[in-house]
């Protein structure tokens, strides 16, 4: 099989969690490690793509000089970084686990313990994939991720359409070895007219499957 090269293409990719501050000490976050996003970045780069990786807080590192890593913390920061580079991207992959909500008010000092209850009012964060989907350029290819716990395929298919994506990568927390904190993942890729299921694999191999399918769709 000939090499599926992305030479001359720019890939914009998000990875990791976002942390939404409550006060200078605490935040709302999730268990995303960024492993899947960094594996995808490495795979695209190895195929010749110029990769811009917008990463939330993570211990993942890359020494690949062709990957530009833009570290961010919050969903708003990630959105601004993605927005800045979206026009130059041929392919956008939304692999980050962006927090859906953030505190409406961030305390400027540590909140002290007082009483048995603490109520924090939350407001919705920007849906980065949906916002960018509304201004998607002709020919631009976009890939989303969906981590689900119930009605997996239906929920993912709805996100695919709603966010104007070309494909969405579904993984379920009900599958052992898939999702957060694992070196492995088990995915199903949903497209408008096709669904492709894969077995449990190392995330580096999962990245190869996703990148190969993107190439096939761009050259099909």
């Amino acid at each position: 099989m000939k090499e599926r090269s992305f030479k001359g293409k720019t890939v914009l990719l998000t990875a990791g969690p976002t942390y939404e501050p409550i006060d200078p000490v605490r935040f709302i976050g999730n268990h995303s490690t960024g492993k899947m996003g960094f594996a995808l970045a490495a795979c695209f780069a190895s195929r010749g793509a110029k990769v811009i990786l917008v990463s939330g807080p993570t211990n993942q590192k890359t020494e690949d000089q062709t990957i530009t890593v833009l570290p961010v913390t919050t969903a708003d920061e990630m959105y601004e970084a993605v927005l800045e580079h979206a026009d130059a991207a041929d392919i956008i992959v939304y692999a980050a686990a962006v927090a859906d909500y953030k505190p409406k008010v961030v305390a400027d000092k540590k909140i002290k313990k007082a009483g048995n209850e603490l109520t924090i009012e939350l407001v919705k964060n920007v849906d980065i994939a949906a916002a960018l989907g509304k201004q998607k350029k002709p020919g631009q290819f976009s890939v989303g991720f969906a981590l689900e716990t119930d009605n997996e395929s239906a929920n993912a298919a709805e996100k695919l359409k709603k966010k104007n994506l070309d494909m969405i990568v579904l993984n379920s927390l009900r599958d052992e070895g898939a999702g957060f904190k694992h070196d492995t993942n088990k995915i199903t890729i949903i497209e408008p007219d096709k669904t492709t299921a894969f077995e449990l694999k190392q995330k580096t191999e999962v990245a190869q499957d996703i990148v190969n399918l993107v190439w096939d769709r761009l050259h099909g």
Side-chain angles (χ1 to χ4, degrees):
M1 181 185 294
K2 67 180 181 179
E3 173 68 18
R4 294 179 170 105
S5 174
F6 287 85
K7 191 173 176 63
K9 299 292 185 184
T10 297
V11 178
L12 176 59
L13 209 149
T14 66
T18 65
Y19 289 174
E20 310 301 327
I22 296 170
D23 62 19
V25 177
R26 306 174 182 89
F27 61 85
I28 295 172
N30 57 61
H31 295 298
S32 174
T33 60
K35 288 178 180 178
M36 192 69 253
F38 272 73
L40 281 163
C43 188
F44 274 114
S46 73
R47 306 283 186 88
K50 174 186 175 183
V51 178
I52 301 169
L53 176 59
V54 182
S55 175
T58 175
N59 292 325
Q60 300 301 305
K61 306 287 184 189
T62 179
E63 295 180 3
D64 191 325
Q65 299 301 309
T66 64
I67 300 174
T68 300
V69 180
L70 304 177
V72 297
T73 302
T74 67
D76 287 336
E77 291 171 355
M78 184 171 282
Y79 176 57
E80 290 301 321
V82 171
L83 201 58
E84 182 179 348
H85 295 279
D87 279 348
D90 301 291
I91 301 162
I92 305 179
V93 183
Y94 304 99
V98 182
D100 291 326
Y101 293 89
K102 63 183 177 183
K104 185 174 183 178
V105 177
V106 179
D108 58 359
K109 295 180 181 178
K110 180 182 175 182
I111 300 171
K112 296 294 186 181
K113 255 192 297 191
N116 294 324
E117 294 182 1
L118 173 66
T119 300
I120 299 173
E121 187 175 359
L122 303 178
V123 293
K124 192 174 285 188
N125 265 325
V126 59
D127 186 323
I128 298 174
L132 269 292
K134 292 177 182 176
Q135 56 190 69
K136 186 174 170 185
K137 297 187 306 179
Q140 199 171 54
F141 194 92
S142 59
V143 182
F145 273 70
L147 180 63
E148 302 290 345
T149 57
D150 59 279
N151 297 322
E152 289 97 336
S153 295
N155 287 336
E158 184 180 353
K159 289 178 180 178
L160 176 77
K161 185 176 181 182
K162 194 172 170 183
K163 302 184 184 189
N164 195 21
L165 299 165
D166 294 286
M167 63 173 59
I168 193 162
V169 180
L170 167 65
N171 43 157
S172 170
L173 280 179
R174 295 197 294 182
D175 288 329
E176 188 174 347
F180 296 149
K181 294 185 175 181
H182 296 288
D183 290 325
T184 54
N185 205 359
K186 183 179 180 183
I187 65 166
T188 300
I189 296 180
I190 298 174
E191 301 171 78
D193 59 350
K194 190 175 181 181
T195 298
T196 308
F198 297 86
E199 294 302 315
L200 184 73
K201 297 181 182 183
Q202 292 292 313
K203 284 183 175 175
T204 50
E205 295 177 285
V206 173
Q208 297 277 357
D209 288 335
I210 295 169
V211 171
N212 285 341
L213 201 51
V214 171
W215 192 94
D216 290 347
R217 294 301 172 260
L218 289 173
H219 296 83

